[in-house]
Amino acid sequence: MSPELEAARAGDELAFASLVGPYRRELHLHCYRITGSFDEADDVLQEALLAAWRGLPEFAGRSSLRTWLYRIATNRALNSVRDRSRRPRTAPLPPFEPPDPSGSFDLAHLQPYPDALVDQVDPAVQAVNRETIQLAFVVALQRMPPRQAAVLLLCDVLEFTIAEAAELLSIGATAAKGLLQRARSTRPSSSQVSSEEDQQDIARRFADAFSRDDIDAVLELLTDQCWLAMPPASECYVGRDAVGRFLRASADGRPGGPYTLAAVRAGGRPAFVCYLEGRARGLVVIEPSPGADKIDSIMRFLDDGLHRHFEMPETSK
C-alpha cells in the first residue's frame, strides 16, 4: 500500500484528492455517457467521490483504485438513471404558438458534452472519447436498458473484461455476457462525418443564416430528412418543411429579435451558445451530413445554463 493511500485511509483529504485527481475527468465522462446529462454527471461524480472517501478505510486493494472508483461511479450513475422519474425536467413555454410537431423526442434530460473538456484526458484515448460523446451515440445509450448500456461502456469503451464488468455490477458473468450481446446488437455504427475543418464552412453558413432569421437560407442547408429537437421539450419536427414551419413561427413570434451565436464544439459537432438581447439562452448543435455539405439534424437545447459548461459568459459583449 502506497504512503499516499495509507494517508488517505487515515483521513488525509489532500492525499485523497491527489489519489483520485487523475481519474476525475474520465469518471465524469463515464457518468455522462450513462446519464446523458452533464449536470447529472456532475452530481453523480460528487456522490461517487464522497462514497469513495467514506469507504476508503474498507478498500482492501484487491482491485486497482481505478477499478474500485469505476465500481462506485457506475452504480451511482445507474441509481441516478433509475431515480430520474423523481426529478422530471419541464420545458420552458415558448413565447409564440408553435406549429404541431411531426414527431417526438423523449429524452428531456439530454445535454451535450463540451469537446474542450475531452481534451483534458489522456491523449491516447481522446479519439475513443470523442466518438463516445457524439450525441447520436449518447442518445442510443439512453434508449438502451441502463445495465446494457453500462456493460457496453465498461467492455467496449473502457476495455474491462466481461468478468470484470460483471464484478463491477455485482452480476454473474453469463448475465453480463448476455447484456453485452444485446447492447452490441443495437449500438449505432460510428458516425462518418468529415473533419472539423471540413465542417467549418457549413457551420459558418448556418450561423450566418440562423442569426439573421433568414429561414430560407437555413432551409437550403438542410437535407430532406433533417429533423429538429429541443430538449427538454418533447416536440420534434421531421423533414425540411416541418423544420421550416417551426423556424418561421419562432422568428415571427420571438420577442427580442434574432439570436446572436457564439461558436463552440459539443458532442464532436459544431455548436453555438445562443444569446438573445444579450443574455445566454441555451445552445444549438448541428449534425453535418457525411460530406459536410448539408445538415442532418439541429438540436436546440433550451437550458439557459448550458453556457457555463463551455466557459462562455452569461452576457454577450
Side-chain angles (χ1 to χ4, degrees):
M1 186 180 299
S2 70
E4 193 170 43
L5 180 55
E6 286 185 352
R9 283 164 58 93
D12 187 330
E13 294 184 14
L14 291 178
F16 177 76
S18 179
L19 281 172
V20 301
Y23 306 114
R24 289 184 67 100
R25 181 55 61 196
E26 62 175 280
L27 287 168
H28 191 269
L29 278 164
H30 181 60
C31 295
Y32 169 73
R33 295 182 187 109
I34 292 177
T35 64
S37 164
F38 192 102
D39 289 332
E40 202 169 333
D42 276 350
D43 294 340
V44 169
L45 180 59
Q46 291 307 310
E47 290 177 10
L49 293 178
L50 180 59
W53 167 250
R54 290 173 173 170
L56 196 60
E58 284 75 47
F59 174 57
R62 288 189 295 270
S63 66
S64 69
L65 179 66
R66 178 177 182 268
T67 298
W68 184 67
L69 291 171
Y70 266 102
R71 175 198 291 274
I72 298 171
T74 299
N75 286 285
R76 292 281 170 159
L78 290 173
N79 289 344
S80 184
V81 172
R82 182 197 63 203
D83 297 340
R84 189 171 279 157
S85 61
R86 301 178 189 174
R87 48 182 197 282
R89 297 189 73 211
T90 56
L93 293 174
F96 59 92
E97 186 65 32
D100 291 336
S102 55
S104 63
F105 192 83
D106 58 351
L107 301 177
H109 61 280
L110 186 70
Q111 294 177 330
Y113 203 91
D115 282 27
L117 297 184
V118 179
D119 295 338
Q120 296 179 12
V121 300
D122 184 349
V125 295
Q126 280 184 16
V128 172
N129 286 325
R130 285 186 179 279
E131 177 184 339
T132 56
I133 62 160
Q134 289 179 12
L135 282 173
F137 182 76
V138 174
V139 166
L141 289 174
Q142 303 312 298
R143 290 181 171 153
M144 292 180 190
R147 286 205 304 179
Q148 276 189 31
V151 172
L152 180 73
L153 291 169
L154 291 170
C155 293
D156 286 4
V157 176
L158 297 167
E159 299 184 340
F160 287 103
T161 67
I162 291 177
E164 289 169 333
E167 185 176 354
L168 288 174
L169 294 170
S170 300
I171 60 177
T174 300
K177 184 176 181 180
L179 289 170
L180 181 59
Q181 288 173 339
R182 291 191 289 276
R184 283 174 172 170
S185 71
T186 58
R187 174 179 176 168
S189 57
S190 300
S191 181
Q192 299 299 315
V193 177
S194 51
S195 69
E196 184 174 337
E197 272 189 19
D198 291 337
Q199 296 175 34
Q200 288 178 355
D201 180 63
I202 193 75
R204 178 190 56 76
R205 292 161 61 197
F206 171 83
D208 177 67
F210 191 84
S211 62
R212 292 185 289 108
D213 278 335
D214 187 341
I215 309 306
D216 288 335
V218 172
L219 295 180
E220 287 180 3
L221 302 175
L222 309 184
T223 62
D224 291 339
Q225 298 78 32
C226 183
W227 52 270
L228 166 71
M230 297 165 289
S234 61
E235 292 83 4
C236 185
Y237 296 86
V238 182
R240 186 189 287 118
D241 290 343
V243 172
R245 285 194 296 273
F246 176 83
L247 292 178
R248 292 187 197 285
S250 174
D252 292 342
R254 181 196 324 116
Y259 289 107
T260 299
L261 301 185
V264 291
R265 295 279 301 180
R269 300 294 180 263
F272 308 89
V273 175
C274 301
Y275 292 90
L276 185 65
E277 297 184 305
R279 307 290 298 184
R281 291 291 181 263
L283 190 82
V284 62
V285 182
I286 62 172
E287 177 76 25
S289 61
D293 58 341
K294 293 285 184 178
I295 294 170
D296 284 335
S297 68
I298 302 169
M299 296 199 73
R300 175 71 174 93
F301 293 90
L302 302 178
D303 185 339
D304 290 345
L306 284 177
H307 63 281
R308 300 190 307 270
H309 304 320
F310 295 82
E311 298 186 349
M312 296 295 286
E314 171 74 25
T315 58
S316 61
K317 295 179 180 179

